[in-house]
Amino acid sequence: MAKIISIGTAVPAHQHKQEEILQFMQRVYAMNETDKRKLKFLYHQSGIQNRYSVISDYSKPVNEWKFYPHTENLEPFPSLELRMGWFNKYAAPLSVDAIRNCIEHKIHSDEITHLITVSCTGMSAPGLDLQVMELMDLPKNIYRSSVNFMGCYAAIHALKMANSICNNEKDAKVLIVCTELCTLHFQREGTIDNITSSMLFGDGSAAVLVTHDSYNHPGLVIKDFYSEIISKGKKDMAWELSSSGFLMTLSGYIPELIEEDFEALVNKSLLKSGIKKEAVDYWCIHPGGKRILEAIHKSLQFTNGQLKESYKVLNDFGNMSSPTILFVLKAILQHIDFNKEQNIFGAAFGPGLTMETFVASTHA
């Protein structure tokens, strides 16, 4: 069996209040007063107070913008090349910050045997994995792999890979780092998809250290994984390349689809793991948005703050895509008592519509 030893997180230097981003977007979308009021209502209902970005522009006056042009019509609007240039500049240092936060007082960097990088907001070859290797001076023969373009559930997919590696190699020390710079891809057209994306997403990075259960350090034992695709939601959540960046499709039906199917998914996952719902002490749910958390709360008939860590991460950081669930898990780990048997159920959602879950415990 494999276990999670530690989780580290990092965010960019620029913190933006949700109200500041609202004012920026009202300008970008060139809205009339009626539409501005509607957008303001949506932002105030988002459950988000702060987000972080590698871009300072969202809370700066026009003459101090660094990423967007100072022109009235925002031309030339940032190209895909510019966005990827910024990703290549900022993603690796942010990843290293998360990794160092993760392994501090746990292991030395030269003990890392496997590196798995995760991102859906930037791609290149050589890519993030080699950049991290160089910045941290990791061994040239390190095993490395990349999980690209899988979206918000990709961290769980990477944990599956780490689990398999550690089950086969008892001395493995697998380092996963999920880094997303979502705010590089905000778009100018005032479509409902673009408005929703610019209201929800932020930048962040999270790293997790996974070892075999025999490693002499307390950790969260990974029990099992389970995933399903809701085929009827295939077109409701999508992530595609375009000449002006990556384009997000986020249908308003997603919370309804999740509410309808989530309880059955949980029951199947717990049955596979041999754990009853009543035995779950913590629910580590990806905060894709306030309405998604409300849908899960209703689907599972929660009554007593079972999703408080998810709501807190959403409030403080927004939806950062793949690292977000690790931010939630890190918050949960601060409450865990490793002297007791405690169980965690985790779930995240992404394009497909894909729902990925994991079950972990303080005891094997």
Side-chain angles (χ1 to χ4, degrees), residues 241-297:
L241 289 168
S242 81
S243 60
S244 62
F246 297 179
L247 302 181
M248 170 63 77
T249 298
L250 282 173
S251 164
Y253 292 110
I254 292 171
E256 294 178 25
L257 291 169
I258 291 175
E259 181 181 339
E260 181 181 331
D261 293 290
F262 192 68
E263 184 179 24
L265 174 82
V266 170
N267 291 338
K268 292 175 187 176
S269 177
L270 292 176
L271 180 64
K272 185 172 181 280
S273 302
I275 295 175
K276 294 184 178 180
K277 180 182 174 185
E278 295 75 23
V280 176
D281 299 283
Y282 295 96
W283 296 85
C284 180
I285 306 299
H286 168 67
K290 182 181 176 182
R291 287 185 60 210
I292 288 177
L293 291 179
E294 289 172 344
I296 290 169
H297 195 277

Tab-separated table of all heavy atoms in Angstrom, residues 241-297:
chain	number	residue	atom	x	y	z
A	241	LEU	N	-8.294	24.144	-26.932
A	241	LEU	CA	-7.304	25.120	-27.388
A	241	LEU	C	-7.902	26.063	-28.409
A	241	LEU	O	-8.761	25.674	-29.213
A	241	LEU	CB	-6.113	24.404	-28.022
A	241	LEU	CG	-5.176	23.632	-27.095
A	241	LEU	CD1	-4.248	22.758	-27.916
A	241	LEU	CD2	-4.366	24.582	-26.233
A	242	SER	N	-7.442	27.316	-28.382
A	242	SER	CA	-7.817	28.283	-29.417
A	242	SER	C	-6.638	29.217	-29.639
A	242	SER	O	-5.671	29.218	-28.870
A	242	SER	CB	-9.051	29.092	-28.999
A	242	SER	OG	-8.692	30.144	-28.136
A	243	SER	N	-6.727	30.058	-30.652
A	243	SER	CA	-5.632	30.979	-30.964
A	243	SER	C	-5.454	32.053	-29.898
A	243	SER	O	-4.399	32.685	-29.807
A	243	SER	CB	-5.876	31.635	-32.327
A	243	SER	OG	-7.097	32.352	-32.310
A	244	SER	N	-6.484	32.285	-29.073
A	244	SER	CA	-6.396	33.312	-28.035
A	244	SER	C	-6.287	32.710	-26.636
A	244	SER	O	-6.514	33.392	-25.640
A	244	SER	CB	-7.620	34.240	-28.097
A	244	SER	OG	-8.809	33.515	-27.850
A	245	GLY	N	-5.943	31.426	-26.550
A	245	GLY	CA	-5.830	30.795	-25.242
A	245	GLY	C	-6.672	29.538	-25.166
A	245	GLY	O	-7.163	29.033	-26.180
A	246	PHE	N	-6.867	29.039	-23.963
A	246	PHE	CA	-7.679	27.848	-23.752
A	246	PHE	C	-9.103	28.282	-23.438
A	246	PHE	O	-9.318	29.207	-22.653
A	246	PHE	CB	-7.127	27.014	-22.590
A	246	PHE	CG	-5.740	26.465	-22.823
A	246	PHE	CD1	-5.111	25.716	-21.840
A	246	PHE	CD2	-5.054	26.687	-24.010
A	246	PHE	CE1	-3.834	25.205	-22.035
A	246	PHE	CE2	-3.776	26.179	-24.214
A	246	PHE	CZ	-3.167	25.441	-23.221
A	247	LEU	N	-10.069	27.609	-24.040
A	247	LEU	CA	-11.475	27.982	-23.891
A	247	LEU	C	-12.203	26.968	-23.019
A	247	LEU	O	-12.160	25.766	-23.269
A	247	LEU	CB	-12.159	28.064	-25.255
A	247	LEU	CG	-11.555	29.042	-26.268
A	247	LEU	CD1	-12.367	29.026	-27.553
A	247	LEU	CD2	-11.494	30.458	-25.690
A	248	MET	N	-12.898	27.474	-21.995
A	248	MET	CA	-13.626	26.624	-21.069
A	248	MET	C	-15.119	26.629	-21.397
A	248	MET	O	-15.698	27.683	-21.669
A	248	MET	CB	-13.420	27.122	-19.633
A	248	MET	CG	-14.304	26.464	-18.583
A	248	MET	SD	-14.007	24.699	-18.399
A	248	MET	CE	-12.491	24.699	-17.454
A	249	THR	N	-15.720	25.453	-21.390
A	249	THR	CA	-17.166	25.318	-21.447
A	249	THR	C	-17.640	24.841	-20.083
A	249	THR	O	-17.184	23.800	-19.588
A	249	THR	CB	-17.605	24.296	-22.514
A	249	THR	OG1	-17.169	24.757	-23.795
A	249	THR	CG2	-19.118	24.137	-22.519
A	250	LEU	N	-18.507	25.611	-19.443
A	250	LEU	CA	-19.053	25.258	-18.138
A	250	LEU	C	-20.560	25.473	-18.168
A	250	LEU	O	-21.050	26.578	-17.978
A	250	LEU	CB	-18.425	26.124	-17.036
A	250	LEU	CG	-17.023	25.766	-16.555
A	250	LEU	CD1	-16.514	26.837	-15.608
A	250	LEU	CD2	-17.030	24.419	-15.862
A	251	SER	N	-21.285	24.409	-18.399
A	251	SER	CA	-22.733	24.499	-18.492
A	251	SER	C	-23.353	24.710	-17.117
A	251	SER	O	-22.872	24.197	-16.101
A	251	SER	CB	-23.282	23.210	-19.114
A	251	SER	OG	-24.664	23.095	-18.891
A	252	GLY	N	-24.454	25.437	-17.099
A	252	GLY	CA	-25.197	25.631	-15.864
A	252	GLY	C	-25.873	24.367	-15.370
A	252	GLY	O	-26.379	24.315	-14.244
A	253	TYR	N	-25.859	23.323	-16.201
A	253	TYR	CA	-26.487	22.050	-15.811
A	253	TYR	C	-25.549	21.165	-14.984
A	253	TYR	O	-25.987	20.142	-14.440
A	253	TYR	CB	-26.922	21.273	-17.056
A	253	TYR	CG	-28.051	21.917	-17.816
A	253	TYR	CD1	-27.842	22.493	-19.070
A	253	TYR	CD2	-29.341	21.971	-17.284
A	253	TYR	CE1	-28.867	23.098	-19.765
A	253	TYR	CE2	-30.375	22.575	-17.972
A	253	TYR	CZ	-30.141	23.140	-19.214
A	253	TYR	OH	-31.156	23.732	-19.899
A	254	ILE	N	-24.256	21.517	-14.881
A	254	ILE	CA	-23.295	20.655	-14.181
A	254	ILE	C	-23.719	20.369	-12.738
A	254	ILE	O	-23.710	19.207	-12.303
A	254	ILE	CB	-21.880	21.263	-14.235
A	254	ILE	CG1	-21.358	21.233	-15.674
A	254	ILE	CG2	-20.923	20.480	-13.327
A	254	ILE	CD1	-20.076	21.986	-15.876
A	255	PRO	N	-24.098	21.389	-11.945
A	255	PRO	CA	-24.532	21.079	-10.578
A	255	PRO	C	-25.712	20.108	-10.530
A	255	PRO	O	-25.756	19.225	-9.666
A	255	PRO	CB	-24.923	22.454	-10.014
A	255	PRO	CG	-24.103	23.424	-10.797
A	255	PRO	CD	-24.053	22.850	-12.179
A	256	GLU	N	-26.647	20.234	-11.473
A	256	GLU	CA	-27.785	19.325	-11.501
A	256	GLU	C	-27.352	17.901	-11.820
A	256	GLU	O	-27.838	16.931	-11.215
A	256	GLU	CB	-28.807	19.801	-12.537
A	256	GLU	CG	-29.462	21.125	-12.202
A	256	GLU	CD	-30.437	21.577	-13.292
A	256	GLU	OE1	-30.952	20.717	-14.012
A	256	GLU	OE2	-30.659	22.797	-13.391
A	257	LEU	N	-26.433	17.761	-12.778
A	257	LEU	CA	-25.930	16.433	-13.133
A	257	LEU	C	-25.216	15.788	-11.946
A	257	LEU	O	-25.396	14.588	-11.674
A	257	LEU	CB	-24.970	16.532	-14.325
A	257	LEU	CG	-25.581	16.900	-15.674
A	257	LEU	CD1	-24.479	17.217	-16.683
A	257	LEU	CD2	-26.462	15.765	-16.187
A	258	ILE	N	-24.406	16.570	-11.250
A	258	ILE	CA	-23.679	16.041	-10.100
A	258	ILE	C	-24.645	15.678	-8.975
A	258	ILE	O	-24.519	14.610	-8.348
A	258	ILE	CB	-22.619	17.054	-9.630
A	258	ILE	CG1	-21.497	17.156	-10.679
A	258	ILE	CG2	-22.047	16.657	-8.265
A	258	ILE	CD1	-20.466	18.215	-10.380
A	259	GLU	N	-25.606	16.549	-8.712
A	259	GLU	CA	-26.589	16.253	-7.666
A	259	GLU	C	-27.347	14.961	-7.964
A	259	GLU	O	-27.605	14.149	-7.070
A	259	GLU	CB	-27.578	17.411	-7.529
A	259	GLU	CG	-28.624	17.190	-6.444
A	259	GLU	CD	-29.611	18.340	-6.331
A	259	GLU	OE1	-29.291	19.455	-6.773
A	259	GLU	OE2	-30.715	18.110	-5.799
A	260	GLU	N	-27.673	14.748	-9.224
A	260	GLU	CA	-28.437	13.576	-9.628
A	260	GLU	C	-27.642	12.283	-9.489
A	260	GLU	O	-28.189	11.246	-9.113
A	260	GLU	CB	-28.887	13.755	-11.085
A	260	GLU	CG	-29.722	12.617	-11.643
A	260	GLU	CD	-30.110	12.873	-13.092
A	260	GLU	OE1	-30.228	14.057	-13.481
A	260	GLU	OE2	-30.287	11.888	-13.832
A	261	ASP	N	-26.324	12.330	-9.770
A	261	ASP	CA	-25.525	11.105	-9.854
A	261	ASP	C	-24.516	10.896	-8.727
A	261	ASP	O	-23.940	9.815	-8.612
A	261	ASP	CB	-24.761	11.076	-11.189
A	261	ASP	CG	-25.698	10.928	-12.381
A	261	ASP	OD1	-26.264	9.845	-12.539
A	261	ASP	OD2	-25.832	11.900	-13.139
A	262	PHE	N	-24.285	11.906	-7.890
A	262	PHE	CA	-23.157	11.820	-6.969
A	262	PHE	C	-23.366	10.787	-5.864
A	262	PHE	O	-22.442	10.051	-5.511
A	262	PHE	CB	-22.869	13.197	-6.356
A	262	PHE	CG	-21.554	13.239	-5.622
A	262	PHE	CD1	-20.361	13.135	-6.317
A	262	PHE	CD2	-21.499	13.378	-4.244
A	262	PHE	CE1	-19.143	13.170	-5.663
A	262	PHE	CE2	-20.289	13.413	-3.581
A	262	PHE	CZ	-19.109	13.306	-4.292
A	263	GLU	N	-24.550	10.695	-5.295
A	263	GLU	CA	-24.778	9.737	-4.210
A	263	GLU	C	-24.522	8.302	-4.672
A	263	GLU	O	-23.894	7.511	-3.961
A	263	GLU	CB	-26.192	9.866	-3.657
A	263	GLU	CG	-26.432	8.946	-2.461
A	263	GLU	CD	-27.819	9.079	-1.879
A	263	GLU	OE1	-28.736	9.508	-2.608
A	263	GLU	OE2	-27.995	8.735	-0.695
A	264	ALA	N	-24.992	7.971	-5.874
A	264	ALA	CA	-24.767	6.630	-6.411
A	264	ALA	C	-23.276	6.374	-6.611
A	264	ALA	O	-22.773	5.273	-6.327
A	264	ALA	CB	-25.517	6.459	-7.728
A	265	LEU	N	-22.549	7.388	-7.094
A	265	LEU	CA	-21.097	7.261	-7.268
A	265	LEU	C	-20.413	6.999	-5.929
A	265	LEU	O	-19.556	6.115	-5.815
A	265	LEU	CB	-20.536	8.534	-7.902
A	265	LEU	CG	-19.013	8.606	-8.017
A	265	LEU	CD1	-18.533	7.856	-9.248
A	265	LEU	CD2	-18.539	10.048	-8.057
A	266	VAL	N	-20.792	7.748	-4.911
A	266	VAL	CA	-20.212	7.576	-3.582
A	266	VAL	C	-20.474	6.166	-3.060
A	266	VAL	O	-19.572	5.508	-2.522
A	266	VAL	CB	-20.789	8.625	-2.605
A	266	VAL	CG1	-20.386	8.304	-1.164
A	266	VAL	CG2	-20.296	10.021	-2.970
A	267	ASN	N	-21.691	5.702	-3.220
A	267	ASN	CA	-22.037	4.362	-2.730
A	267	ASN	C	-21.207	3.282	-3.423
A	267	ASN	O	-20.738	2.337	-2.771
A	267	ASN	CB	-23.525	4.100	-2.948
A	267	ASN	CG	-24.398	4.957	-2.040
A	267	ASN	OD1	-23.944	5.425	-0.999
A	267	ASN	ND2	-25.644	5.173	-2.438
A	268	LYS	N	-21.010	3.418	-4.738
A	268	LYS	CA	-20.195	2.440	-5.469
A	268	LYS	C	-18.736	2.487	-5.011
A	268	LYS	O	-18.087	1.453	-4.852
A	268	LYS	CB	-20.283	2.708	-6.974
A	268	LYS	CG	-21.641	2.443	-7.590
A	268	LYS	CD	-21.657	2.851	-9.055
A	268	LYS	CE	-23.048	2.751	-9.652
A	268	LYS	NZ	-23.080	3.239	-11.054
A	269	SER	N	-18.232	3.689	-4.819
A	269	SER	CA	-16.845	3.851	-4.393
A	269	SER	C	-16.623	3.255	-3.003
A	269	SER	O	-15.654	2.537	-2.758
A	269	SER	CB	-16.462	5.332	-4.400
A	269	SER	OG	-15.149	5.531	-3.935
A	270	LEU	N	-17.534	3.548	-2.081
A	270	LEU	CA	-17.396	3.039	-0.716
A	270	LEU	C	-17.567	1.527	-0.667
A	270	LEU	O	-16.877	0.838	0.098
A	270	LEU	CB	-18.410	3.726	0.202
A	270	LEU	CG	-18.167	5.227	0.460
A	270	LEU	CD1	-19.298	5.804	1.295
A	270	LEU	CD2	-16.826	5.457	1.143
A	271	LEU	N	-18.471	1.000	-1.470
A	271	LEU	CA	-18.657	-0.454	-1.542
A	271	LEU	C	-17.372	-1.135	-2.007
A	271	LEU	O	-16.953	-2.159	-1.455
A	271	LEU	CB	-19.814	-0.792	-2.489
A	271	LEU	CG	-20.138	-2.283	-2.668
A	271	LEU	CD1	-20.615	-2.886	-1.343
A	271	LEU	CD2	-21.197	-2.475	-3.758
A	272	LYS	N	-16.724	-0.549	-3.030
A	272	LYS	CA	-15.459	-1.089	-3.538
A	272	LYS	C	-14.377	-1.044	-2.467
A	272	LYS	O	-13.510	-1.927	-2.394
A	272	LYS	CB	-15.034	-0.291	-4.768
A	272	LYS	CG	-13.791	-0.811	-5.481
A	272	LYS	CD	-13.593	-0.053	-6.801
A	272	LYS	CE	-12.363	-0.572	-7.552
A	272	LYS	NZ	-11.118	-0.021	-7.019
A	273	SER	N	-14.419	-0.022	-1.621
A	273	SER	CA	-13.394	0.149	-0.587
A	273	SER	C	-13.721	-0.603	0.695
A	273	SER	O	-12.867	-0.689	1.584
A	273	SER	CB	-13.236	1.639	-0.255
A	273	SER	OG	-12.906	2.373	-1.410
A	274	GLY	N	-14.945	-1.083	0.806
A	274	GLY	CA	-15.335	-1.800	2.017
A	274	GLY	C	-15.577	-0.894	3.203
A	274	GLY	O	-15.430	-1.304	4.354
A	275	ILE	N	-15.962	0.352	2.943
A	275	ILE	CA	-16.207	1.326	4.003
A	275	ILE	C	-17.642	1.853	3.882
A	275	ILE	O	-18.123	2.120	2.781
A	275	ILE	CB	-15.207	2.500	3.916
A	275	ILE	CG1	-13.783	2.008	4.182
A	275	ILE	CG2	-15.561	3.607	4.919
A	275	ILE	CD1	-12.726	3.072	4.000
A	276	LYS	N	-18.315	2.004	5.005
A	276	LYS	CA	-19.664	2.558	5.004
A	276	LYS	C	-19.614	4.078	5.095
A	276	LYS	O	-18.665	4.655	5.633
A	276	LYS	CB	-20.474	1.988	6.168
A	276	LYS	CG	-20.739	0.496	6.054
A	276	LYS	CD	-21.630	0.004	7.187
A	276	LYS	CE	-21.926	-1.483	7.034
A	276	LYS	NZ	-22.798	-1.983	8.127
A	277	LYS	N	-20.656	4.707	4.578
A	277	LYS	CA	-20.709	6.171	4.573
A	277	LYS	C	-20.565	6.736	5.984
A	277	LYS	O	-19.919	7.764	6.195
A	277	LYS	CB	-22.033	6.634	3.945
A	277	LYS	CG	-22.199	8.138	3.879
A	277	LYS	CD	-23.542	8.523	3.293
A	277	LYS	CE	-23.778	10.019	3.367
A	277	LYS	NZ	-25.139	10.395	2.905
A	278	GLU	N	-21.146	6.044	6.965
A	278	GLU	CA	-21.103	6.516	8.352
A	278	GLU	C	-19.681	6.503	8.911
A	278	GLU	O	-19.401	7.187	9.911
A	278	GLU	CB	-22.012	5.645	9.230
A	278	GLU	CG	-23.497	5.730	8.896
A	278	GLU	CD	-23.858	4.984	7.622
A	278	GLU	OE1	-23.104	4.054	7.230
A	278	GLU	OE2	-24.886	5.342	7.007
A	279	ALA	N	-18.795	5.730	8.275
A	279	ALA	CA	-17.412	5.633	8.755
A	279	ALA	C	-16.505	6.706	8.171
A	279	ALA	O	-15.326	6.793	8.542
A	279	ALA	CB	-16.845	4.251	8.431
A	280	VAL	N	-17.030	7.527	7.259
A	280	VAL	CA	-16.232	8.605	6.665
A	280	VAL	C	-16.190	9.780	7.634
A	280	VAL	O	-17.224	10.338	8.000
A	280	VAL	CB	-16.811	9.054	5.310
A	280	VAL	CG1	-16.023	10.241	4.761
A	280	VAL	CG2	-16.806	7.899	4.316
A	281	ASP	N	-14.981	10.146	8.042
A	281	ASP	CA	-14.815	11.246	8.998
A	281	ASP	C	-14.655	12.600	8.318
A	281	ASP	O	-15.044	13.632	8.880
A	281	ASP	CB	-13.591	10.973	9.879
A	281	ASP	CG	-13.726	9.693	10.682
A	281	ASP	OD1	-14.450	9.713	11.686
A	281	ASP	OD2	-13.120	8.681	10.287
A	282	TYR	N	-14.060	12.595	7.112
A	282	TYR	CA	-13.819	13.850	6.397
A	282	TYR	C	-14.160	13.674	4.920
A	282	TYR	O	-13.845	12.638	4.323
A	282	TYR	CB	-12.351	14.288	6.545
A	282	TYR	CG	-11.955	14.637	7.952
A	282	TYR	CD1	-11.337	13.691	8.773
A	282	TYR	CD2	-12.212	15.904	8.481
A	282	TYR	CE1	-10.969	14.003	10.076
A	282	TYR	CE2	-11.848	16.222	9.783
A	282	TYR	CZ	-11.231	15.272	10.575
A	282	TYR	OH	-10.879	15.587	11.859
A	283	TRP	N	-14.768	14.703	4.366
A	283	TRP	CA	-15.142	14.703	2.951
A	283	TRP	C	-14.285	15.730	2.221
A	283	TRP	O	-14.414	16.944	2.450
A	283	TRP	CB	-16.627	15.014	2.801
A	283	TRP	CG	-17.491	13.950	3.421
A	283	TRP	CD1	-17.865	13.846	4.726
A	283	TRP	CD2	-18.055	12.814	2.750
A	283	TRP	NE1	-18.627	12.727	4.915
A	283	TRP	CE2	-18.772	12.064	3.718
A	283	TRP	CE3	-18.036	12.361	1.425
A	283	TRP	CZ2	-19.452	10.889	3.410
A	283	TRP	CZ3	-18.714	11.194	1.108
A	283	TRP	CH2	-19.406	10.472	2.095
A	284	CYS	N	-13.403	15.235	1.369
A	284	CYS	CA	-12.447	16.076	0.638
A	284	CYS	C	-12.978	16.270	-0.787
A	284	CYS	O	-12.642	15.514	-1.697
A	284	CYS	CB	-11.081	15.403	0.633
A	284	CYS	SG	-9.798	16.335	-0.227
A	285	ILE	N	-13.801	17.284	-0.966
A	285	ILE	CA	-14.500	17.488	-2.232
A	285	ILE	C	-13.922	18.698	-2.969
A	285	ILE	O	-13.757	19.776	-2.387
A	285	ILE	CB	-16.011	17.693	-2.000
A	285	ILE	CG1	-16.587	16.535	-1.176
A	285	ILE	CG2	-16.733	17.840	-3.327
A	285	ILE	CD1	-16.458	15.166	-1.815
A	286	HIS	N	-13.628	18.502	-4.249
A	286	HIS	CA	-13.124	19.599	-5.076
A	286	HIS	C	-14.163	20.716	-5.157
A	286	HIS	O	-15.288	20.478	-5.629
A	286	HIS	CB	-12.805	19.085	-6.478
A	286	HIS	CG	-12.550	20.180	-7.474
A	286	HIS	ND1	-11.454	21.020	-7.402
A	286	HIS	CD2	-13.252	20.587	-8.558
A	286	HIS	CE1	-11.499	21.881	-8.399
A	286	HIS	NE2	-12.574	21.640	-9.109
A	287	PRO	N	-13.830	21.931	-4.720
A	287	PRO	CA	-14.779	23.042	-4.778
A	287	PRO	C	-14.809	23.692	-6.157
A	287	PRO	O	-14.269	24.782	-6.373
A	287	PRO	CB	-14.255	24.000	-3.700
A	287	PRO	CG	-12.784	23.757	-3.680
A	287	PRO	CD	-12.574	22.309	-4.034
A	288	GLY	N	-15.463	23.004	-7.096
A	288	GLY	CA	-15.544	23.533	-8.456
A	288	GLY	C	-16.311	24.831	-8.552
A	288	GLY	O	-16.139	25.605	-9.489
A	289	GLY	N	-17.156	25.073	-7.579
A	289	GLY	CA	-17.954	26.287	-7.508
A	289	GLY	C	-18.949	26.125	-6.374
A	289	GLY	O	-19.207	25.016	-5.897
A	290	LYS	N	-19.528	27.230	-5.934
A	290	LYS	CA	-20.468	27.191	-4.812
A	290	LYS	C	-21.672	26.318	-5.127
A	290	LYS	O	-22.119	25.529	-4.286
A	290	LYS	CB	-20.914	28.619	-4.481
A	290	LYS	CG	-21.862	28.721	-3.292
A	290	LYS	CD	-22.262	30.171	-3.060
A	290	LYS	CE	-23.291	30.292	-1.944
A	290	LYS	NZ	-23.721	31.708	-1.763
A	291	ARG	N	-22.201	26.414	-6.347
A	291	ARG	CA	-23.378	25.624	-6.702
A	291	ARG	C	-23.065	24.127	-6.737
A	291	ARG	O	-23.929	23.299	-6.411
A	291	ARG	CB	-23.933	26.067	-8.060
A	291	ARG	CG	-24.643	27.423	-8.036
A	291	ARG	CD	-25.267	27.710	-9.389
A	291	ARG	NE	-26.246	26.697	-9.746
A	291	ARG	CZ	-26.529	26.333	-11.004
A	291	ARG	NH1	-25.868	26.898	-12.010
A	291	ARG	NH2	-27.436	25.417	-11.240
A	292	ILE	N	-21.846	23.758	-7.119
A	292	ILE	CA	-21.460	22.344	-7.112
A	292	ILE	C	-21.392	21.819	-5.683
A	292	ILE	O	-21.895	20.717	-5.391
A	292	ILE	CB	-20.111	22.149	-7.832
A	292	ILE	CG1	-20.300	22.335	-9.340
A	292	ILE	CG2	-19.520	20.771	-7.536
A	292	ILE	CD1	-19.031	22.247	-10.149
A	293	LEU	N	-20.822	22.589	-4.772
A	293	LEU	CA	-20.772	22.162	-3.368
A	293	LEU	C	-22.180	22.064	-2.787
A	293	LEU	O	-22.487	21.136	-2.018
A	293	LEU	CB	-19.919	23.125	-2.550
A	293	LEU	CG	-18.416	23.119	-2.850
A	293	LEU	CD1	-17.695	24.149	-1.980
A	293	LEU	CD2	-17.807	21.739	-2.638
A	294	GLU	N	-23.043	22.989	-3.145
A	294	GLU	CA	-24.430	22.937	-2.675
A	294	GLU	C	-25.135	21.696	-3.214
A	294	GLU	O	-25.931	21.062	-2.499
A	294	GLU	CB	-25.176	24.203	-3.088
A	294	GLU	CG	-24.726	25.449	-2.329
A	294	GLU	CD	-25.331	26.729	-2.868
A	294	GLU	OE1	-25.859	26.714	-4.006
A	294	GLU	OE2	-25.268	27.755	-2.168
A	295	ALA	N	-24.847	21.331	-4.465
A	295	ALA	CA	-25.450	20.144	-5.068
A	295	ALA	C	-25.002	18.877	-4.338
A	295	ALA	O	-25.815	17.967	-4.095
A	295	ALA	CB	-25.078	20.061	-6.547
A	296	ILE	N	-23.725	18.800	-3.985
A	296	ILE	CA	-23.204	17.634	-3.269
A	296	ILE	C	-23.787	17.580	-1.857
A	296	ILE	O	-24.164	16.517	-1.355
A	296	ILE	CB	-21.665	17.683	-3.233
A	296	ILE	CG1	-21.121	17.439	-4.639
A	296	ILE	CG2	-21.104	16.662	-2.245
A	296	ILE	CD1	-19.647	17.710	-4.780
A	297	HIS	N	-23.864	18.729	-1.217
A	297	HIS	CA	-24.445	18.820	0.121
A	297	HIS	C	-25.877	18.261	0.115
A	297	HIS	O	-26.268	17.491	1.019
A	297	HIS	CB	-24.448	20.288	0.564
A	297	HIS	CG	-24.671	20.486	2.029
A	297	HIS	ND1	-25.919	20.491	2.605
A	297	HIS	CD2	-23.797	20.679	3.053
A	297	HIS	CE1	-25.817	20.695	3.901
A	297	HIS	NE2	-24.540	20.807	4.207
